[in-house]
Amino acid sequence: MLGVMSSPAFSATPSAAGASVPAWAVPRGAIADPAEAAFIAGAALNSLDQLVRAAPPWAGAWRQRLALQCAAAAASLVGRTEGEGALRDAWLLRADGDPGPAGNLLAAWRRLAERDPQINTDALRSAVRLLGLAWSNDLAALPERLDNLTRSMRPAPLLAAAAAAEVQRIRPDAHLLGWWLADQVLARRMHWAVAVPLFVKHARGPAFRSAGDRSRIRPGEDGFERAVCVALALAAAEACRLADEIAPRAARLTAVAPKLRAKGAGEVIQLLFDEDAVAGTLQTKSLTRWGSRRLFERLTNLDAVRELSGRATFRLYGL
């Protein structure tokens, strides 16, 4: 019997996403009323919370796909041209372990998506480096300030807004760090074991446009808390939709697992559940490069994975 068939992780159909943001809670236009913005943010966050707590076995792939999307948005915010495909290549095809500046942006959001959301000075220093920022002593006080913030009884979206505003106050050049910490603070307030990358995708979106002259609302300015609530509702809806896309693919992958005869197939399936993408040239102790190629061809023919690069060589596969 193949290990992939007997492993408890693959013995049952992965949970369907089962959570979606109600249509009435997805912003369809400008929302000027702070109370309405807070209300839809609460509804959307409740749906997202149900998904997070369901902890489907493919949650790792879901979070890492969101991390990729956020890293692409972050790259655009700092004037870089790398999109999701280029960032995925920078990370998965790095030759010497260094993914380069763009790949480091992805590394920052990947780290957010796979670790405890507690922030200490070492974790903050590491994030600052990956985000391409210079460390300064005024950042050293942030972990304690964020601890105090998350111990307050303020609603989670407003805590996230406060985190971004605090970074803007002490280091206006570190706006990426502000969005990164907003995700962390939201996760801590929600008591999630791992954060969900959300906010930076909407930093340039309509949520942060003022109702009057359509200028951008920056962290700490009037209307910023309302804008964060609207952005959270949009981001939660997108995250739930992404889960709805991944869930049936994961179910298909689980269904075909018993048909796989390749040694090491279980390890590959676990990677597909945990990661945004897996290189088609993957080599492990039990799987050769040639074996990986044949396995991914088999999974593709079974419609259990997608080829994500669109290339004939250096292919990448994922849910």
Side-chain angles (χ1 to χ4, degrees), residues 63-64 66-84 86-88 90-91 94 98-114 126-133 173-180 183 197 200:
R63 279 194 174 85
Q64 292 299 342
L66 289 171
L68 177 71
Q69 294 173 354
C70 282
S76 178
L77 278 176
V78 296
R80 301 196 66 89
T81 59
E82 292 88 349
E84 292 179 20
L87 289 171
R88 188 180 272 143
W91 181 256
R94 61 191 187 279
D98 180 6
N104 279 333
L105 288 178
L106 176 55
W109 260 272
R110 282 180 57 85
R111 183 167 297 185
L112 180 145
E114 65 190 14
S126 178
V128 165
R129 178 184 61 79
L130 291 173
L131 293 171
L133 301 168
D173 65 310
H175 53 285
L176 286 188
L177 180 65
W179 294 120
W180 192 87
D183 284 335
V200 75

Side-chain angles (χ1 to χ4, degrees), residues 28 65 68 83 95 99 122 130 142 155 177 181 201 203 264 280 296 319:
R28 304 295 180 188
R65 187 71 48 82
L68 177 71
D122 289 342
L130 291 173
L142 268 177
L177 180 65
L181 289 171
K201 279 178 63 182
F296 281 115
L319 295 176

